[in-house]
Amino acid sequence: IIIGDGTTSSIKIDIDGPDKQINIVGKTVTIKNHPDVDVVFMKSGDHNDLSIFEIYDSGSLTLNGRNPGSITLDRTGTLLEAFSTPYGPGVVVLSGGAFVMNGDVTIKNQRVRGSAEAAGVHVKSGGSFIMNGGSIVNNYATKISWSGLSGNQAGGVFIEEGATFEMSGESNISGNEVFIIFDWGGSEANFGGAGQYYTICFDQNDGTGTKYY
C-alpha cells in the first residue's frame, strides 16, 4: 500500500472513536508513503482505549517511511489525568503477529494507563518486533498503584516473555516516560517516573526475575 501520489505534501488519516483501530489479521501488509509525502495516522481524544494498529493471527505489518517523506503514528489527549488518559498503545503485537519498522517512521505521543504495559509498542508472547530504523519517542505510560512500585511498565517498548525484539540501524528509542500515581482511598499523588519503570522493559520471568532496561 502506497499512501499519497505526490500532489499533496501531507496526509492525515484519522482513527477517531473509542472502538476504532486498524487490525492486521492473517495478512501481510506493507505500508509506504509516497516520496515527499508525510503520512500521519492520528488518534484523537481522551477516551480512545484501543491501539492504532493491532496485529495477530499470523498477521504482519511493515511500515516503510521513505525520506524525505515520513510515516508517523500520533495521538492527542490528556497526558496525566489518571482516569481520563487513553489506554491504547501505538502498536500491539499479539501471538503470531509480526511488526517491522523501516526508515523514517515515528511513534510518538502515545498514552496508556492502568494495566497496559507500554505506550509505544507492546509485543505479547509469541509476537515479534523488528526495528530497523525510525523513532519511538515521547510516549507516556501512567501507572495507578495502590501498593507502591510493582508490576511491569514501559513508556517506549514492552517485550513480554516469549516475544522477540530486534533493533538495528539508526533506530531511536528515547524520551519515553512512566508516571506513577499512588492512590490512597481516592487521594492521588503523582510521583513521576520511578522504580522499575523504564523506556524498554523485557519481561523475562525465567527463574532469575524480571529484567528491566
Side-chain angles (χ1 to χ4, degrees):
I1 300 172
I2 300 176
I3 300 177
D5 58 8
T7 60
T8 181
S9 61
S10 63
I11 296 175
K12 184 173 74 169
I13 300 172
D14 288 312
I15 309 167
D16 290 330
D19 57 350
K20 293 183 180 180
Q21 65 182 12
I22 300 173
N23 295 312
I24 309 295
V25 186
K27 300 292 184 180
T28 298
V29 177
T30 298
I31 298 176
K32 303 177 181 179
N33 61 296
H34 188 282
D36 299 319
V37 176
D38 296 314
V39 176
V40 178
F41 291 88
M42 174 66 75
K43 208 158 177 36
S44 304
D46 288 342
H47 300 285
N48 289 320
D49 56 354
L50 298 178
S51 57
I52 294 177
F53 287 100
E54 187 164 297
I55 309 161
Y56 55 98
D57 285 352
S58 299
S60 174
L61 172 64
T62 299
L63 297 180
N64 286 340
R66 300 195 289 178
N67 189 277
S70 63
I71 296 175
T72 301
L73 276 57
D74 202 354
R75 185 185 296 257
T76 65
T78 305
L79 174 58
L80 287 178
E81 292 181 12
F83 297 101
S84 63
T85 306
Y87 285 80
V91 178
V92 175
V93 187
L94 303 179
S95 180
F99 176 47
V100 180
M101 282 177 60
N102 296 323
D104 198 348
V105 177
T106 300
I107 299 175
K108 67 178 184 178
N109 296 328
Q110 305 302 310
R111 302 169 173 90
V112 298
R113 63 170 287 269
S115 60
E117 283 83 3
V121 178
H122 183 179
V123 187
K124 298 194 176 186
S125 180
S128 70
F129 175 29
I130 299 175
M131 187 177 182
N132 295 318
S135 298
I136 299 174
V137 295
N138 301 330
N139 300 289
Y140 303 92
T142 301
K143 176 72 174 180
I144 312 298
S145 177
W146 287 268
S147 59
L149 299 176
S150 61
N152 306 326
Q153 204 90 358
V157 177
F158 186 89
I159 308 297
E160 287 191 7
E161 181 181 10
T164 62
F165 175 46
E166 299 178 22
M167 182 177 176
S168 63
E170 297 182 358
S171 302
N172 173 35
I173 302 176
S174 64
N176 303 284
E177 299 183 60
V178 174
F179 297 86
I180 316 304
I181 297 181
F182 293 114
D183 188 308
W184 293 285
S187 176
E188 300 173 16
N190 175 25
F191 283 76
Q196 299 173 328
Y197 302 90
Y198 291 79
T199 290
I200 308 177
C201 179
F202 293 88
D203 186 9
Q204 299 176 337
N205 292 309
D206 56 2
T208 61
T210 300
K211 299 178 182 179
Y212 303 89
Y213 297 87

